[in-house]
């Protein structure tokens, strides 16, 4: 027999829902939501009344009370479906989802009712008490899932019209869920939950009344998005997991004997940690989202959400993270990946690796401008699936993939980036978290986003070029002041020479001449140290023996420690270059190696020839450089590590001149281990034995008579 508090509790609920039924029936029956709410209020009144009569007179039987409770749950779920009706009329894909949820509810209620009928009339016990409790928990979870969908995806106007009914129905189902979960866990209904249940239901009646009165003229309008289905699915999975957890905890406690309580705590702790790990796992979330997109929606993407995300990323003008990295993340996120790489076309046409995210790239990362892939992208805007390519190269006309892409592990999609109709860059996306089936929708969205991000990359590059041009202009203006100083020195020295014959025997004049000359020498030395002559745009070359030049430079710079050492004597190697420019750039690189290497270190000069080219390796055991410094600062004008003693254009000038004569400079370095500069020149186009004899050039002073690159 229930106690008196339970009688008062459920009597209050019966009276409250009876009054709510009268209010709705006499005034508000215009909308479907009102009619369904009337049905739910009437059934709840009958349910609460049955508990009151059972407390007073012992009737009705358990089966009738159980039947009324099932009908009560089904009626409140019907209220939730009524809220969804207008939205489902305009969305077939969501209509299918509604049918699935409705079918699940009907099947569950029918199963529970059918088992009760068979047990009551024929004595066939199909479901035991614990299974019936599990059924009640399942109904509660279905109701909570529907409320979560409605609330997450309703617009602000729609929320104002449904918030009270959502809060009230959600509270009903949440209370039932906790009560029956506690029952399943401990094997009996808690008196505290049961006695308070009626008053809790009655306390929610004002919310229903306010909703009916205030929203009778307001439409309920919302849209169901992928995010809603995802969260609803996650909630259902979490509820099922908690249900399994309750069953497992019960059996652990029952079968654990004396250790039952401790084992139950241990089981709950481990299971909850596992649940949290699943919920925060991006791989699990990605697989769930892919499953939802494939089975519940006609379109794979929520284009509004994708466009807003891309706009936020592109509107960020900061350099943290750098723009190339953001472009990679934007493209990879479209296909549930977090890895990728980006190549951008440089001035000569080759494609240089700008950034790689969560992807290990091979040592050689440059894509040649004449490669077959570049020509392929120049003819058609295709996205290459490397998995498909490896399985069937014929589908891509036996296209040859460059080594920087084919030798990169975990590569998946190769995406061309176009500026107008010209290929500006190449992006590669790594393998996704979950298997993604690609179709026309994926490819179209990737192409649109690739063009937008390419425009941003090109705009940023144009801004950098403009900034560099302005820096050169600033240097030109500064040079005008330096020229003025040189003219002043020339005037002083000219006057000195003019007066020398007349005052050569005057000791005071001699002292003044020495002082003036010393001042002029010091000032010109400072100017020479800070001014570096840019490479001449008019390329004038002659045939030069590179072996001889390297030997002379090694001899000249041997006056300072560590002295450079020529590793081998490969014989005469002839190239086409300007002698003074060649001495300038190579001398600068050797001097930099000495600056970075301690006196007890080593600097080695090595010449190697192969395939019509000669490569000079300048290798040191100095402080070395980071990969980031090499990529972003080493060859950037006006970026100097020497403070006021350097203008920061020497390395840039050296590379530009080597490129002008058809070569290139590559750098490999490791901090605290040393660096290696590889300077490649094309060999002169005649046989070495036919080369003209070069007069021996002895370096008795500075080998850079006109300039000193720094």
């Amino acid at each position: 027999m229930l106690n008196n508090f339970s009688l008062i509790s459920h009597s209050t609920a019966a009276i409250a829902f009876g009054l709510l039924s009268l209010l709705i029936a006499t005034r508000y029956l215009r909308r479907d939501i009102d009619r369904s709410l009337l049905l739910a209020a009437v059934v709840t009144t009958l349910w609460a009344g049955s508990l009151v009569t059972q407390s007073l007179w012992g009737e009705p039987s358990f089966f009738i009370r159980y039947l009324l409770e099932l009908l009560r749950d089904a009626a409140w779920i019907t209220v939730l479906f009524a809220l969804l009706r207008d939205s489902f009329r305009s969305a077939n894909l969501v209509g299918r989802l509604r049918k699935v949820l409705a079918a699940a509810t009907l099947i569950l209620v029918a199963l529970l009712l059918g088992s009760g009928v068979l047990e009551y009339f024929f004595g066939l016990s199909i479901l035991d008490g614990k299974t019936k409790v599990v059924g009640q928990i399942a109904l509660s979870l279905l109701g909570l899932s529907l409320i979560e969908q409605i609330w997450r995806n309703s617009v602000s106007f729609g929320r104002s019209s449904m918030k009270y009914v959502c809060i009230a129905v959600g509270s009903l189902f949440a209370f039932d869920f906790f009560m029956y979960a506690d029952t399943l866990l401990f094997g009996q209904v808690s008196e505290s939950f049961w006695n308070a249940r009626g008053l809790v239901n009655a306390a929610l009646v004002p919310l229903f009344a306010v909703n009916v009165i205030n929203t009778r003229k307001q439409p309920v309008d919302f849209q169901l998005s992928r995010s809603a289905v995802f969260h609803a699915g996650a909630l259902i999975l979490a509820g099922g997991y908690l249900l399994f957890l309750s069953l497992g905890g019960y059996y652990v406690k029952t079968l654990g004997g004396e250790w039952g309580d401790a084992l139950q705590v241990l089981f709950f702790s481990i299971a909850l940690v596992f649940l949290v790990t699943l919920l925060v796992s991006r791989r699990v979330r990605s697989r769930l989202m892919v499953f939802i997109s494939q089975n519940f929606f006609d379109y794979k993407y929520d284009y509004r959400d994708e466009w807003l995300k891309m706009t936020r990323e592109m509107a960020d003008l900061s350099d943290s993270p750098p723009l190339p990295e953001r472009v990679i993340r934007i493209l990879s996120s479209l296909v549930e990946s977090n890895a990728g790489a980006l190549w951008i076309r440089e001035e000569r046409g080759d494609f240089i690796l700008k950034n790689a995210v969560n992807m290990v790239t091979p040592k050689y990362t440059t894509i040649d401008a004449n490669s077959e892939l570049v020509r392929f992208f120049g003819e058609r805007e295709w996205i290459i699936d490397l998995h498909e390519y490896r399985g069937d190269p014929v589908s891509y006309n036996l296209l040859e993939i460059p080594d920087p892409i084919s030798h990169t592990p975990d590569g998946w999609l190769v995406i061309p980036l176009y500026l107008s109709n010209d290929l500006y860059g190449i992006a590669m996306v790594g393998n996704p978290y979950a298997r993604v089936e690609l179709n026309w929708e994926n490819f179209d969205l990737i192409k649109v986003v690739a063009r937008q991000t390419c425009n941003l990359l090109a705009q940023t590059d144009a801004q950098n070029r403009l900034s560099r041009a302005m820096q050169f202009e600033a240097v030109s203006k500064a040079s005008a002041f330096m020229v003025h100083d040189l003219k002043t020195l020339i005037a002083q020295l000219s006057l000195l020479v003019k007066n020398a014959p007349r005052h050569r025997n005057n000791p005071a004049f001699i002292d003044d001449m020495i002082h003036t000359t010393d001042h002029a020498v010091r000032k010109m030395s400072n100017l020479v140290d800070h001014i570096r002559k840019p490479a001449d745009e008019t390329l004038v070359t002659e045939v030069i023996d590179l072996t001889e030049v390297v030997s002379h430079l090694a001899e000249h710079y041997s006056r300072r420690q560590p002295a450079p050492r020529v590793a081998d004597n490969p014989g005469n190697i002839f190239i086409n270059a300007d002698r003074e420019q060649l001495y300038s750039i190579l001398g600068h690189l050797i001097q930099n190696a000495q600056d970075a290497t301690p006196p007890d270190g080593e600097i080695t000069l090595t010449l190697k020839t192969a395939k019509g080219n000669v490569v000079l390796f300048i290798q040191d055991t100095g402080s070395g450089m980071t990969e980031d410094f090499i990529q972003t600062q080493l060859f950037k004008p006006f970026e100097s590590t020497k403070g006021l003693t350097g203008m920061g254009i020497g390395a840039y000038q050296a590379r530009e001149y080597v490129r002008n004569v058809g070569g290139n400079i590559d750098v490999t370095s490791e901090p605290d281990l040393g660096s290696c500069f590889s300077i490649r020149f094309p060999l002169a186009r005649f046989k070495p034995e036919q080369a003209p004899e070069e007069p021996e050039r002895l370096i008795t002073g500075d080998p850079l008579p006109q300039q000193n690159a720094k």
Side-chain angles (χ1 to χ4, degrees):
M1 177 67 68
L2 297 175
N3 59 29
N4 291 332
F5 185 81
S6 174
L7 176 63
I8 296 173
S9 175
H10 290 95
S11 298
T12 305
I15 295 172
F17 278 98
L19 293 175
L20 178 64
S21 302
L22 291 175
L23 175 67
I24 299 173
T26 56
R27 299 185 60 182
Y28 307 111
L29 285 177
R30 182 178 63 86
R31 302 180 307 163
D32 290 340
I33 178 63
D34 298 328
R35 289 188 285 270
S36 61
L37 192 57
L38 173 61
L39 174 63
V42 170
V43 175
T44 304
T45 302
L46 295 175
W47 164 77
S50 69
L51 293 177
V52 172
T53 59
Q54 194 275 338
S55 178
L56 293 174
W57 302 296
E59 293 292 340
S61 64
F62 169 78
F63 172 74
I64 301 298
R65 286 182 280 118
Y66 180 61
L67 170 64
L68 288 174
E69 179 151 352
L70 290 177
L71 293 177
R72 164 186 170 270
D73 292 342
W76 287 117
I77 290 177
T78 303
V79 172
L80 298 179
F81 278 114
L83 286 174
L84 295 171
R85 181 176 179 183
D86 291 338
S87 171
F88 287 130
R89 285 173 178 170
S90 58
N92 292 331
L93 55 97
V94 184
R96 291 198 299 270
L97 178 60
R98 183 192 66 163
K99 292 177 182 178
V100 170
L101 292 175
T105 304
L106 291 175
I107 292 172
L108 182 59
V109 173
L111 178 63
L112 295 175
L113 286 175
S115 65
V117 169
L118 292 176
E119 183 178 355
Y120 182 78
F121 289 104
F122 303 102
L124 299 176
S125 180
I126 299 177
L127 302 178
D128 59 9
K130 289 188 178 117
T131 308
K132 293 176 182 177
V133 171
V134 170
Q136 294 296 123
I137 293 176
L139 283 175
S140 301
L141 286 176
L142 280 172
L144 292 173
S145 300
L146 286 172
I147 293 171
E148 195 268 347
Q149 280 191 70
I150 294 170
W151 187 256
R152 273 188 164 274
N153 298 275
S154 58
V155 294
S156 58
F157 181 77
R159 283 185 179 179
S160 65
S161 66
M162 68 174 64
K163 60 183 178 183
Y164 296 115
V165 68
C166 285
I167 293 173
V169 178
S171 300
L172 287 176
F173 283 123
F175 186 91
D176 286 356
F177 172 79
F178 286 116
M179 186 185 73
Y180 284 114
D182 181 82
T183 301
L184 185 65
L185 186 62
F186 295 104
Q188 62 182 3
V189 178
S190 170
E191 280 195 11
S192 300
F193 276 109
W194 185 263
N195 293 340
R197 192 182 188 194
L199 287 176
V200 169
N201 280 254
L204 299 174
V205 169
L207 294 177
F208 292 119
V210 170
N211 181 86
V212 171
I213 295 172
N214 291 345
T215 65
R216 61 185 183 273
K217 295 182 180 179
Q218 296 179 2
V220 179
D221 187 20
F222 65 93
Q223 294 180 348
L224 192 64
S225 69
R226 284 169 174 76
S227 178
V229 179
F230 170 77
H231 287 92
L235 184 60
I236 291 174
L237 290 177
Y241 183 83
L242 291 175
L243 188 61
F244 167 77
L245 181 61
S246 300
L247 288 171
Y250 170 78
Y251 285 110
V252 167
K253 181 178 180 180
T254 302
L255 302 177
E258 296 180 356
W259 293 1
D261 292 337
L263 291 175
Q264 186 181 50
V265 173
L266 176 63
F267 176 75
F268 282 151
S269 300
I270 296 175
L272 289 175
V273 170
F274 180 69
L275 175 61
V276 173
T277 304
L278 289 180
L279 292 178
V280 300
S281 170
R282 185 166 179 176
R283 186 180 300 275
V284 173
R285 292 167 61 89
S286 298
R287 288 181 176 176
L288 180 58
M289 184 61 78
V290 170
F291 174 80
I292 290 171
S293 297
Q294 289 177 342
N295 292 277
F296 293 97
F297 290 89
D298 291 335
Y299 295 99
K300 286 189 173 183
Y301 296 98
D302 185 340
Y303 289 99
R304 175 181 174 274
D305 185 55
E306 296 295 337
W307 188 257
L308 288 175
K309 286 194 299 184
M310 187 184 72
T311 302
R312 284 193 297 267
E313 290 288 342
M314 295 174 64
D316 186 3
L317 300 179
S318 66
D319 200 37
S320 180
L323 180 59
E325 180 177 340
R326 279 187 280 142
V327 169
I328 294 171
R329 294 190 183 278
I330 290 173
L331 292 173
S332 59
S333 65
L334 297 177
V335 287
E336 302 296 336
S337 175
N338 73 332
L342 178 67
W343 288 264
I344 299 296
R345 185 183 62 202
E346 62 166 2
E347 295 178 0
R348 296 199 310 164
D350 293 340
F351 290 80
I352 304 300
L353 180 66
K354 285 296 182 181
N355 208 321
V357 178
N358 298 327
M359 183 172 284
V360 179
T361 57
K363 189 170 185 179
Y364 181 75
T365 58
T366 301
I367 299 176
D368 191 85
N370 297 320
S371 66
E372 192 173 340
L373 179 66
V374 174
R375 292 196 299 270
F376 179 83
F377 283 147
E379 297 172 356
R380 62 193 73 182
E381 187 178 1
W382 275 19
I383 296 175
I384 298 177
D385 186 339
L386 293 178
H387 297 170
E388 184 181 52
Y389 169 82
R390 295 186 181 103
D392 183 18
V394 178
S395 61
Y396 292 94
N397 299 326
L398 298 177
L399 175 69
E400 182 180 355
I401 303 297
D403 290 346
I405 294 178
S406 62
H407 290 177
T408 300
D410 299 327
W412 179 29
L413 298 180
V414 182
I415 305 167
L417 306 180
Y418 293 95
L419 183 62
S420 184
N421 293 321
D422 298 325
L423 184 64
Y424 182 82
I426 299 173
M428 179 168 61
V429 174
N431 289 326
Y433 289 113
R435 181 176 177 83
V436 177
E437 296 294 336
L438 301 179
N439 61 10
W440 61 269
E441 188 181 359
N442 298 100
F443 293 130
D444 284 352
L445 180 61
I446 292 172
K447 289 176 183 178
V448 170
V449 174
R451 283 189 175 270
Q452 293 297 324
T453 54
C454 182
N455 289 336
L456 185 60
L457 288 168
Q459 181 181 357
T460 304
D461 183 60
Q463 291 175 345
N464 292 335
R465 291 174 183 269
L466 178 61
S467 176
R468 191 180 309 168
M470 294 175 65
Q471 289 175 318
F472 273 113
E473 182 181 0
V475 171
S476 298
K477 292 179 180 179
S479 300
F481 293 96
M482 297 179 184
V483 170
H484 179 269
D485 291 341
L486 287 175
K487 288 183 178 180
T488 302
L489 294 175
I490 292 173
Q492 292 175 350
L493 295 177
S494 297
L495 183 62
L496 190 66
V497 172
K498 182 178 179 180
N499 293 327
R502 186 186 309 172
H503 303 286
R504 68 175 62 186
N505 295 322
N506 186 348
F509 176 79
I510 297 298
D511 292 340
D512 185 62
M513 180 182 68
I514 294 173
H515 175 74
T516 302
T517 305
D518 179 64
H519 170 75
V521 169
R522 283 187 287 105
K523 192 150 189 175
M524 285 190 292
S525 296
N526 290 335
L527 290 175
V528 169
D529 289 339
H530 289 83
I531 301 175
R532 298 296 178 259
K533 179 182 176 182
D536 193 352
E537 294 182 356
T538 303
L539 188 61
V540 179
T541 63
E542 59 181 314
V543 177
I544 299 175
D545 187 351
L546 183 59
T547 305
E548 178 186 349
V549 171
V550 171
S551 299
H552 289 168
L553 287 170
E555 179 183 356
H556 172 72
Y557 284 97
S558 63
R559 303 171 186 173
R560 178 185 171 189
Q561 296 299 320
R565 177 179 61 87
V566 180
D568 298 307
N569 184 9
N572 296 335
I573 299 175
F574 296 93
I575 63 172
N576 292 310
D578 178 83
R579 184 177 296 275
E580 291 185 355
Q581 293 277 13
L582 187 63
Y583 272 101
S584 172
I585 64 169
L586 297 183
H588 163 77
L589 297 177
I590 295 174
Q591 184 178 349
N592 275 0
Q594 289 181 314
D595 292 340
T597 307
D600 58 346
E602 294 182 1
I603 299 176
T604 306
L605 310 179
T606 308
L607 285 169
K608 299 288 185 181
T609 59
K611 295 183 179 179
N613 294 280
V614 58
V615 181
L616 170 62
F617 299 95
I618 302 178
Q619 190 169 0
D620 64 70
T621 58
S623 57
M625 298 171 286
T626 64
E627 186 66 21
D628 181 68
F629 179 85
I630 295 173
Q631 293 289 338
T632 61
Q633 292 185 310
L634 178 59
F635 295 111
K636 186 177 181 180
F638 311 107
E639 292 284 343
S640 177
T641 59
K642 301 180 182 179
L644 298 176
T645 63
M647 295 182 66
I649 61 175
Y652 170 80
Q653 177 187 346
R655 188 183 66 172
E656 292 304 305
Y657 179 76
V658 172
R659 287 182 172 181
N660 285 340
V661 298
N664 200 7
I665 296 181
D666 293 318
V667 183
T668 57
S669 183
E670 288 289 338
D672 301 324
L673 292 180
S675 305
C676 180
F677 280 70
S678 306
I679 306 100
R680 176 177 59 83
F681 296 95
L683 293 172
R685 297 188 176 279
F686 57 82
K687 297 180 181 179
E689 58 269 23
Q690 297 176 349
E693 291 292 328
E694 290 289 328
E696 183 177 2
R697 178 182 176 87
L698 297 177
I699 302 177
T700 57
D702 190 347
L704 315 175
Q706 297 298 329
Q707 67 181 52
N708 182 19
K710 193 166 186 175

